[in-house]
Amino acid sequence: MKLDPAVVKLLSLDPSNTTVSSTGGGGCSSASTSKITSKLSDGTEKCFFMKTGSGSDAEVMFEGEHASLNALHNAVPTLCPQSFGWGHFSSTPSTSFLVTDFLTLTSRSAAKSSTPSLAAKLAKLHSTPAPIPDGYDKPQFGFPVTTCCGDTPQDNSYKSSWADFYANNRLRFIHRRAEASNGSDRELHNLVETTASKIVPRLIGDGHLNNGRGVTPVVVHGDLWSGNASRGIIGTKGGDVEEVVYDSSACYAHNEFELGIMKMFGGFGGSFLKEYHQLCPKTEPAEEYEDRVKLYELYHHLNHYALFGGGYKSSAVSIMRNLIKKYGGDS
């Protein structure tokens, strides 16, 4: 397979000493992946990971993943691969690409190394305040570009209020996507509206969290189920096996938002959460922590319903009914 000139230019490689080989799936419905291996002038090899896809969906996805990975990498460099760029093939402009460090993965159950745990790395990530966007005077909730959770392009337009962002950019937004995919449903509509208008301000209102101080935006992975975490070596210069994540769908959010999908699919265990919260304490009021995580998990059930239909609707309905019953909303 010949490397496209646009990628050669981006990476400043010698095409005569570079090969491309397929590596299988691409983490979403439309992407394929490749390994780029280039022999450098000093005789060493450097490898890169490349995703490719066609059409506007791939373009949006790769731009978002490029920004996501680098937001995580800038805060905790050993947590994920660095992205070197994205763009369009010169030979076929309808094909988009994304190029990152190559990850050599091992089993998560392999013998532990002396490197920091995933809990410690996430705690560091979630303790690093988000940067201040151009044109603003303080960090905002959102992200500078669209990111995709699965195949869903998310509305990351900036909001100064976390409750506003979660109610509108996440819950109401994904409900509209679910209706577009599955048709209107009065019960679901009413439950989402009650949750967004009553339960969100009650549980995560800016004047409620941290004794009225609210929360500081931090970068979250955004799609951190167990299939997007592993152990491996980043790059091809050697080094220690690290706890790593990939296929990020980042935004600047309340750190506990990360825990919603982690709880939904499991795979991280009680020892993970114990260590994580020793380093990154539960937001006050701590006694409402479990319900906040359930509220954040709700978004991913609705997203899966929008993408796949089926039983995800009933699980979303169950979460909303329980929260509404507990916190005094009308069903």
Side-chain angles (χ1 to χ4, degrees):
M1 191 186 307
K2 187 177 179 181
L3 191 60
D4 188 86
V7 184
V8 171
K9 181 179 180 181
L10 173 71
L11 301 176
S12 300
L13 298 177
D14 177 359
S16 64
N17 287 317
T18 302
T19 59
V20 186
S21 55
S22 175
T23 60
C28 68
S29 64
S30 56
S32 58
T33 62
S34 305
K35 179 180 182 180
I36 300 170
T37 305
S38 188
K39 192 169 186 178
L40 306 181
S41 57
D42 62 3
T44 62
E45 281 190 348
K46 185 169 178 60
C47 298
F48 304 88
F49 179 76
M50 179 170 68
K51 288 185 179 181
T52 56
S54 299
S56 58
D57 290 348
E59 180 178 352
V60 169
M61 184 171 290
F62 295 159
E63 181 182 16
E65 188 173 348
H66 167 72
S68 293
L69 286 173
N70 286 343
L72 269 64
H73 185 270
N74 289 342
V76 186
T78 61
L79 179 59
C80 70
Q82 180 180 4
S83 178
F84 297 104
W86 73 280
H88 303 94
F89 279 177
S90 300
S91 55
T92 50
S94 61
T95 299
S96 299
F97 68 86
L98 170 75
V99 181
T100 73
D101 271 322
F102 193 80
L103 259 180
T104 304
L105 297 179
T106 62
S107 168
R108 287 201 73 198
S109 61
K112 299 295 182 183
S113 69
S114 60
T115 57
S117 66
L118 181 60
K121 289 185 178 185
L122 277 187
K124 182 178 179 182
L125 183 74
H126 294 163
S127 302
T128 304
I132 299 174
D134 291 342
Y136 293 84
D137 60 0
K138 64 179 182 178
Q140 300 289 304
F141 298 99
F143 206 59
V145 299
T146 299
T147 53
C148 296
C149 191
D151 284 348
T152 299
Q154 301 173 118
D155 176 8
N156 290 329
S157 54
Y158 287 127
K159 298 284 198 309
S160 60
S161 159
W162 169 240
D164 181 5
F165 181 86
Y166 190 66
N168 291 299
N169 296 48
R170 288 297 179 262
L171 292 185
R172 288 186 173 111
F173 167 81
I174 199 58
H175 174 247
R176 290 193 295 270
R177 299 274 302 189
E179 281 197 328
S181 299
N182 299 288
S184 60
D185 182 310
R186 180 169 293 276
E187 178 196 34
L188 189 66
H189 172 84
N190 291 341
L191 285 170
V192 170
E193 274 305 306
T194 299
T195 302
S197 63
K198 295 187 177 181
I199 306 309
V200 165
R202 167 62 185 83
L203 273 179
I204 60 171
D206 305 299
H208 181 64
L209 296 178
N210 281 326
N211 300 308
R213 299 189 304 273
V215 294
T216 299
V218 298
V219 65
V220 297
H221 177 286
D223 192 14
L224 192 50
W225 66 291
S226 59
N228 283 343
S230 189
R231 303 181 74 240
I233 299 173
I234 300 174
T236 47
K237 295 180 179 178
D240 294 325
V241 173
E242 298 271 1
E243 296 277 359
V244 292
V245 299
Y246 35 83
D247 289 345
S248 175
S249 175
C251 68
Y252 300 123
H254 180 201
N255 69 289
E256 290 176 355
F257 176 56
E258 191 89 276
L259 306 178
I261 193 165
M262 296 175 77
K263 182 176 180 184
M264 179 177 175
F265 289 113
F268 295 95
S271 60
F272 168 91
L273 284 173
K274 182 178 179 181
E275 181 185 0
Y276 173 82
H277 284 306
Q278 285 173 343
L279 299 167
C280 195
K282 295 175 182 177
T283 301
E284 293 293 340
E287 64 271 16
E288 293 175 359
Y289 163 82
E290 295 286 350
D291 291 323
R292 289 195 300 270
V293 174
K294 269 293 177 187
L295 180 63
Y296 296 150
E297 184 182 342
L298 169 63
Y299 168 72
H300 296 285
H301 287 269
L302 290 170
N303 184 38
H304 278 66
Y305 177 55
L307 290 171
F308 309 117
Y312 291 107
K313 175 195 166 186
S314 62
S315 57
V317 166
S318 176
I319 290 172
M320 289 186 284
R321 282 178 173 166
N322 288 336
L323 290 176
I324 291 167
K325 181 179 180 181
K326 185 169 184 178
Y327 291 99
D330 298 321
S331 58

